[in-house]
Amino acid sequence: MLAKDYAVVRAMVEAVRAHPLAGPLFEAEGQSEQTLVWQDERTGVWLRAMLDITRRNRGGHLLIGDYKTTDTIDPASFARQVVTLNYHMQEWWYIEAAQRVGLDEAPDFLFVCQERTPPYLVDVRQLDFTLHLMGEQRSRRAIGIYDACRRTDTWPGYG
């Protein structure tokens, strides 16, 4: 890593550490880059997820944190990014994974968003229920398409 890049990374890390919600999420005892593997109960398809960070709050409830860099932490811009980059699918997928492997019955999912330019502003976001449902619908559809392709050995393109 170049020295100039290292300085940027260090400054970004310090900004996350200084944030009242993001800092404790990443510094508390938890697990990083945890891979979860489970079998979809509807289709039998094997699925996996790699969680950025998991930790338990004081009550023992599971928190799943996912770090995202962005041009701006402006809420409207982030909402567009959620839909464009399918973050709502990721949120549902990771919650589903944690539930299916028995980590927690109702984990909370937090996006830690950080701007790529100084002063490297940080925000922590949760998606609303509507986006969660959209993520579930799109994920279920994707699993169904994959299952149909797998069963029929037919792998069409975008056509």
Side-chain angles (χ1 to χ4, degrees), residues 6-159:
Y6 180 77
V8 168
V9 170
R10 290 297 312 157
M12 291 177 81
V13 167
E14 290 308 314
V16 169
R17 285 185 176 154
H19 190 273
L21 296 174
L25 178 64
F26 283 97
E27 292 198 1
E29 264 191 50
Q31 289 195 287
S32 299
E33 299 297 326
Q34 184 178 16
T35 301
L36 306 181
V37 178
W38 75 105
Q39 195 168 20
D40 180 59
E41 45 191 37
R42 294 183 189 181
T43 62
V45 170
W46 283 96
L47 305 168
R48 67 184 167 110
M50 183 181 283
L51 314 181
D52 282 357
I53 185 82
T54 58
R55 67 174 291 267
R56 302 263 173 198
N57 66 14
R58 289 187 187 114
H61 186 68
L62 185 70
L63 303 174
I64 301 169
D66 194 75
Y67 177 76
K68 300 290 186 202
T69 58
T70 184
D71 291 334
T72 176
I73 60 171
D74 168 64
S77 295
F78 182 71
R80 285 189 297 276
Q81 192 171 345
V82 165
V83 176
T84 301
L85 299 176
N86 293 311
Y87 290 170
H88 55 318
M89 290 177 70
Q90 178 190 1
E91 184 239 22
W92 177 83
W93 197 275
Y94 287 15
I95 288 171
E96 179 78 358
Q99 291 171 330
R100 294 295 163 239
V101 302
L103 293 180
D104 197 292
E105 291 180 17
D108 283 320
F109 189 97
L110 306 169
F111 285 106
V112 175
C113 309
Q114 185 172 34
E115 292 183 354
R116 294 182 194 99
T117 55
Y120 308 111
L121 297 176
V122 176
D123 199 8
V124 177
R125 304 265 169 76
Q126 281 187 295
L127 301 185
D128 66 30
F129 190 66
T130 301
L131 281 170
H132 178 79
L133 288 178
M134 286 174 56
E136 177 179 9
Q137 290 169 347
R138 289 193 65 156
S139 296
R140 283 264 159 238
R141 183 171 182 269
I143 293 166
I145 290 169
Y146 174 78
D147 182 49
C149 292
R150 179 182 61 103
R151 283 185 290 103
T152 64
D153 195 29
T154 304
W155 304 87
Y158 284 102

